[in-house]
Amino acid sequence: MLNSKPTLETLLNHRSVRKYTGEPISDEMLSAIFEAGRAVSTSSYLQAVSVIRVVDKTKRTSLRQISCDMTAEEYDKALSEGKRLGHGYVESCAEYLVFCMDAHRHHQLADVNTDWTEVTLIGAIDVALMAQNMLAAAESLGLGGVYIGSLRNDIRRAGEVLGLPKHVVPLFGLCLGHPDWEAKINQSQRPRLPLNVIVSTDTYQIPSDETLSAYNEEVKAYYASRGLDLDWKAQIGETFGGEVRPFVLDYLQSQGFAKR
Ligand SMILES: Cc1cc2nc3c(=O)[nH]c(=O)nc-3n(C[C@H](O)[C@H](O)[C@H](O)COP(=O)(O)O)c2cc1C
């Protein structure tokens, strides 16, 4: 029988884990994690999710390349020069799972329209809920993980690597493994927005500029403690300041989603 930590303790201790010991995840743990995902709520009982477990080393390398935007040669060279690299954990984690929005089986079984934007919302919500059930289950078992949205850097290629048919779209990956707690990058929790910014009662409350600035300073101090010169405002700018993967819509539509 598996030992798992209580739910609240697990959730309140969350942090992304990007370095692992190399120990495999036992079959018993893995199947408990998958069952936790299978049990999740699902919009209109549609179950619009598929999970691809990526064990093939070549496929892992291809997916890591999509996430960190380097060829295998550039990656190895940077690694040998001791440079800090993003997304090596896609290859080094014990399990790499890719979560897909899936309307394929609905088309197999029935004559349906899944090109409404609403269907994309239904699918994306179902996928995220299942993934989070699985990450929470994994964390309750003492494992750690990190989501990989950078899979969408080349979403079409990711779909090709995984052999996805029409009506299936990869949304993000999830690395899982036994945390290497000795590694500095795994230790601290990132400060979140205060509850009075996230939660309003009855009517949406726009937070004051002072509250947001104070939070920005808190994030700056957090990054400074890790030797980084960064704050939340800069991070938002990096992500939303320019085009945000504009090719995603085209791919979604080519897979039969979000046409109207
Ligand atoms: C949908 C999603 C996609 C993410 N994609 C990546 C990613 O591609 N690479 C990465 O290192 N972290 C990724 N993360 C992890 C976030 O950076 C992390 O959750 C956030 O900075 C908060 O840190 P914490 O999880 O340690 O609290 C992703 C998280 C989510 C929810």
Side-chain angles (χ1 to χ4, degrees):
M1 186 61 189
L2 291 169
N3 264 335
S4 65
K5 280 183 269 181
T7 309
L8 262 187
E9 184 190 336
T10 302
L11 299 179
L12 294 176
N13 271 306
H14 164 76
R15 68 213 64 197
S16 290
V17 167
R18 297 180 173 82
K19 201 148 191 335
Y20 311 97
T21 61
E23 185 189 338
I25 296 175
S26 69
D27 290 347
E28 197 185 8
M29 279 191 180
L30 201 56
S31 88
I33 292 165
F34 282 130
E35 290 296 349
R38 199 157 77 101
V40 75
S41 295
T42 163
S43 309
S44 305
Y45 197 27
L46 285 167
Q47 309 179 76
V49 191
S50 282
V51 183
I52 317 247
R53 180 182 174 217
V54 187
V55 293
D56 181 272
K57 280 199 174 1
T58 314
K59 289 187 191 231
R60 283 267 195 120
T61 304
S62 302
L63 296 173
R64 190 266 305 148
Q65 281 169 5
I66 291 171
S67 280
C68 86
D69 222 10
M70 279 176 165
T71 65
E73 291 72 31
E74 285 166 342
Y75 182 85
D76 288 342
K77 184 166 179 285
L79 201 62
S80 67
E81 288 165 355
K83 287 192 183 139
R84 221 178 134 207
L85 287 172
H87 296 99
Y89 31 95
V90 169
E91 286 186 84
S92 60
C93 61
E95 295 289 336
Y96 187 55
L97 309 175
V98 177
F99 287 84
C100 305
M101 167 167 74
D102 187 347
H104 187 272
R105 52 182 83 104
H106 307 81
H107 283 270
Q108 262 178 284
L109 199 61
D111 185 16
V112 287
N113 302 310
T114 55
D115 55 353
W116 299 98
T117 300
E118 170 65 4
V119 176
T120 300
L121 290 183
I122 287 172
I125 293 167
D126 266 16
V127 168
L129 293 178
M130 182 182 286
Q132 184 52 29
N133 250 29
M134 289 170 62
L135 178 57
E139 289 178 347
S140 81
L141 295 170
L143 301 170
V146 61
Y147 289 114
I148 305 293
S150 47
L151 175 106
R152 299 189 304 275
N153 287 347
D154 193 342
I155 190 169
R156 185 177 294 278
R157 173 97 190 97
E160 285 164 4
V161 168
L162 300 169
L164 302 185
K166 196 166 176 188
H167 301 122
V168 185
V169 166
L171 295 186
F172 52 81
L174 175 63
C175 298
L176 291 176
H178 291 270
D180 176 0
W181 290 123
E182 302 297 308
K184 231 171 117 199
I185 56 168
N186 281 347
Q187 277 160 14
S188 51
Q189 280 189 294
R190 284 189 192 199
R192 294 298 202 259
L193 284 164
L195 268 190
N196 63 6
V197 172
I198 304 172
V199 182
S200 306
T201 303
D202 294 332
T203 304
Y204 183 89
Q205 292 295 317
I206 296 174
S208 69
D209 291 346
E210 292 71 31
T211 306
L212 289 184
S213 294
Y215 176 68
N216 197 45
E217 286 308 309
E218 193 187 338
V219 175
K220 198 179 166 71
Y222 161 79
Y223 277 124
S225 74
R226 295 179 49 184
L228 298 167
D229 181 20
L230 194 58
D231 59 22
W232 199 54
K233 187 176 169 184
Q235 194 149 15
I236 294 170
E238 272 175 26
T239 308
F240 287 162
E243 291 188 324
V244 186
R245 300 185 181 121
F247 46 84
V248 165
L249 179 60
D250 190 45
Y251 177 70
L252 274 176
Q253 291 179 337
S254 72
Q255 288 297 86
F257 289 99
K259 292 187 185 169
R260 52 182 164 158

